[in-house]
Amino acid sequence: MTKGRLEAFSDGVIAIIITIMVLEIKVPHGSDLMALKPLIPVVISYVLSFIYIGIYWNNHHHMLHAAERIDGSVLWANLYLLFWLSLIPFVTAWMGENHFAPVTMMMYGFIMLMCALAYYILQTRIIAKNGKDSKLSQALGADFKGKASLVLYTLAIGAAFIHEWISAAIYVLVAVMWLIPDKRIEKVIDN
Amino acid sequence: MTKGRLEAFSDGVIAIIITIMVLEIKVPHGSDLMALKPLIPVVISYVLSFIYIGIYWNNHHHMLHAAERIDGSVLWANLYLLFWLSLIPFVTAWMGENHFAPVTMMMYGFIMLMCALAYYILQTRIIAKNGKDSKLSQALGADFKGKASLVLYTLAIGAAFIHEWISAAIYVLVAVMWLIPDKRIEKVIDN
Amino acid sequence: MTKGRLEAFSDGVIAIIITIMVLEIKVPHGSDLMALKPLIPVVISYVLSFIYIGIYWNNHHHMLHAAERIDGSVLWANLYLLFWLSLIPFVTAWMGENHFAPVTMMMYGFIMLMCALAYYILQTRIIAKNGKDSKLSQALGADFKGKASLVLYTLAIGAAFIHEWISAAIYVLVAVMWLIPDKRIEKVIDN
Amino acid sequence: MTKGRLEAFSDGVIAIIITIMVLEIKVPHGSDLMALKPLIPVVISYVLSFIYIGIYWNNHHHMLHAAERIDGSVLWANLYLLFWLSLIPFVTAWMGENHFAPVTMMMYGFIMLMCALAYYILQTRIIAKNGKDSKLSQALGADFKGKASLVLYTLAIGAAFIHEWISAAIYVLVAVMWLIPDKRIEKVIDN
């Protein structure tokens, strides 16, 4: 089984998810700068989710590049990940339009947690198919970032009940953690 | 004629179909968990259709992977399949927003039946081009699942007049039937 | 310059055009079959435009498959074609929602004429780059269908002022003419 | 690292951006030609942005074709460019629906300036990875057009406070400047 179409289909779905989010930034009726003011929380949540989806695409790109073999279970684990990613535009818009209300922040964390779990399952399936000595397995190592994300999302869901800005800070922290270049996979592949 | 662009175009259309369905999950005005309650039937119908389209993409992937030759009639049979698949978001939203009302369940079954028939036609055209001794033809064998789906969709359309939950049960049954791994094509190709 | 990305980008745009048309089939509020009745003209215009875009994709696929070389002018001629194709969803919805009113039928013909002209320009640019003795040039021959389409669309625009059904009949005629298998390019390539 | 998926993902996102803009041309209720009149500014802004995105796609195509190596920083610079490009449909619709009001023209220039800066960053990252003696670096030369665009967009933002048509004239000028064939990259690659 070749991975070409799996990559192409995933690229298509992720490209659409990242782009339809922008449709939630509704064109305002006024034509002055004040007309854009109510859009600020919508744009902020768009930027956050754009970065998250960008991180997923980046990691997905590296992971499948390192994978040498895939099977039917990988196809389904991939679809399961795409399902949770497809709910990001909804929860992003809900959060932005309600100015980061606690329940919407909690729901954002829940969807992010499910995406992270789905990614973990996909990663596990690919390693199972490629072997513990595969390039991918070596590249991931202890997978600190993956595990830390699961913990942090869970904390953010709970923290939304105390104060929504704690959750917000955690979401930004997770994004920054992933944005710091992770040379592991690149290095192992180049060797 | 190469199959690369046929796969790429189909991937594009299926990726869009599976993703625009999510636009029907309209962002609610409230910001508490109760605001999400009216969305439950919409989300359930989204999950069902996501799985169905995932199954179609999976099977389409395997079928074209096994095909060695295509011709103009395959291109058109493929477009005919994409046409019926493109109506799934409409019927999914209609069903979800009307809380699985009998006529909407019947219509869902009708669209699913037409998709299954279109897939059958595409499969027949590909086998005709590749020969009865081709890998694809051997991989399909008696094509039990394909034929059972046609019968079950027809039953579900009729059952909607008795009680809509019978149809619902049948749609779940068909999805589960296809989700059970089908190693036929993979095995034949690997040999 | 390679044609791979030109094909991929065109596939993406055409896949989106053909799929967003379905968003114009708005989900009705009622849950009985009568609720679907007002959608009939919208669905009919969707079917017509789906077939037209399918024909364009098919012909585009064959033309670029036969092309051996492309240059900057081909990229721009291709974008010019995609621009006119991108207006098809608008004019399809306008025509369907207004039950094939004369002016909407005329406008449909105008967009189709511009698409056909843009396709002709693209074809001319590709032949200019590949030479009169190229496979593509031989495959097209006198290009009867291409020229007949231009004449028929012009007639349909005028006929809408007499009676809209004359235009409708011409649009169906053009679609049927293109659906009849055109073995020219396939044959020349296979030799 | 291969550039195939980077190109495919960019093609997907750009194809969606260029196509969803057309959704802003809302289907009018009337069925005569006068019903189309209010759409004229929306269509004009669509044409302008279609050309701009077409230019970006064209240049992106050539730049990545010339690039021989990419790394993680190129992936992120590319996502940063796609982010700013994704805001073009919003600002295009805002400008069109408000009949080119000064603030909307200024905002259009701002988004265009950010796109141009993002493109410049991407170009710089690719040259850094490929070396100053690479084909791409030679092909760009002094990059007159790129630098002139940055200056012209800045001028257009300021000019909107004097009269919006000065900004409009500058946007058309930049588009025309890029439409004039730029044989640099093509030539260097062909040698």
Side-chain angles (χ1 to χ4, degrees), chain C residues 7 10 14 22 28 32 36 76 83 104 109-110 123 131 136 151 165:
Chain C
E7 290 179 328
S10 306
I14 297 174
V22 94
D32 52 3
L36 297 182
W76 278 108
F83 173 76
T104 64
F110 173 71
Q123 186 174 285
L136 177 64
V151 173
W165 294 118

Side-chain angles (χ1 to χ4, degrees), chain B residues 21-73:
Chain B
M21 279 199 302
V22 94
L23 294 175
E24 290 299 333
I25 310 180
K26 309 272 190 229
V27 177
H29 288 294
S31 63
D32 52 5
L33 274 181
M34 289 312 291
L36 297 181
K37 211 188 155 192
L39 295 178
I40 293 173
V42 179
V43 171
I44 291 172
S45 61
Y46 173 58
V47 171
L48 182 67
S49 291
F50 192 99
I51 293 172
Y52 268 121
I53 297 176
I55 292 166
Y56 271 106
W57 180 76
N58 246 333
N59 291 346
H60 192 268
H61 173 105
H62 284 115
M63 181 164 67
L64 276 159
H65 190 63
E68 278 149 26
R69 275 186 296 277
I70 61 165
D71 61 8
S73 76

Side-chain angles (χ1 to χ4, degrees), chain D residues 130-148:
Chain D
N130 288 268
K132 292 218 169 170
D133 303 323
S134 65
K135 282 192 292 185
L136 178 64
S137 186
Q138 289 172 51
L140 280 167
D143 190 26
F144 168 75
K145 283 186 183 181
K147 283 166 189 160

